Amino acid sequence: MFEWLFGKKHQKLTMNDIDSDYRVVGVSFDNSNGTNRQTLLKKCTMNQEITLKRKRSKEYPNAIEVWSKVGQLGHIADDDAIDLAEIIDNGTRLTAKIKKITGGTTDKPSLGCIITIQEK
């Protein structure tokens, strides 16, 4: 972890180095085109393939958006995106699927989404 302290070269991260399941955040917001992410999540199913899109900005240099075939569902949390962004930026090809849609109950009416990411 602290290789730089001892002069060792930083090794590239791989999916073996980090978790494979991620909670999608921002699912309660509307997209810039006006679509409601909660409505989009209702159209999604378990094991549905999704797309990860890198979207760098000054404010969020490691941003990774989560998209389904119906639109943007949210993004990967900043803390998780740091390592995952490095893996994507290193050219690693990834696949992602919806592992679980959460919520939608009387006690928790808002929907959530857990995704699984693997190296191709």
Side-chain angles (χ1 to χ4, degrees):
M1 183 171 173
F2 296 101
E3 291 89 1
W4 60 273
L5 287 174
F6 306 104
K8 294 181 183 176
K9 186 178 177 182
H10 175 71
Q11 294 184 358
K12 288 184 180 180
L13 288 174
T14 69
M15 285 304 296
N16 292 331
D17 299 319
I18 63 173
D19 292 331
S20 61
D21 292 349
Y22 296 90
R23 183 175 60 89
V24 179
V25 297
V27 295
S28 61
F29 293 96
D30 289 340
N31 290 318
S32 59
N33 66 0
T35 55
N36 180 277
R37 292 177 181 173
Q38 288 290 297
T39 301
L40 297 178
L41 274 172
K42 290 176 186 175
K43 298 177 183 178
C44 294
T45 58
M46 205 167 83
N47 292 320
Q48 178 180 329
E49 288 191 25
I50 55 169
T51 302
L52 303 176
K53 295 183 182 181
R54 283 283 280 124
K55 183 86 175 206
R56 292 180 189 92
S57 70
K58 286 184 181 181
E59 189 176 3
Y60 301 105
N62 298 306
I64 302 170
E65 297 177 339
V66 177
W67 288 75
S68 75
K69 60 185 176 185
V70 294
Q72 184 181 357
L73 303 176
H75 59 274
I76 303 294
D78 293 337
D79 290 348
D80 292 328
I82 293 170
D83 289 339
L84 193 55
E86 181 180 333
I87 290 169
I88 292 170
D89 292 346
N90 284 335
T92 303
R93 296 182 53 115
L94 304 173
T95 60
K97 291 184 178 184
I98 294 176
K99 181 175 184 175
K100 185 177 182 181
I101 302 289
T102 61
T105 64
T106 306
D107 295 344
K108 189 176 185 298
S110 290
L111 296 175
C113 184
I114 307 294
I115 62 172
T116 297
I117 302 171
Q118 297 179 332
E119 195 168 335
K120 277 188 180 180

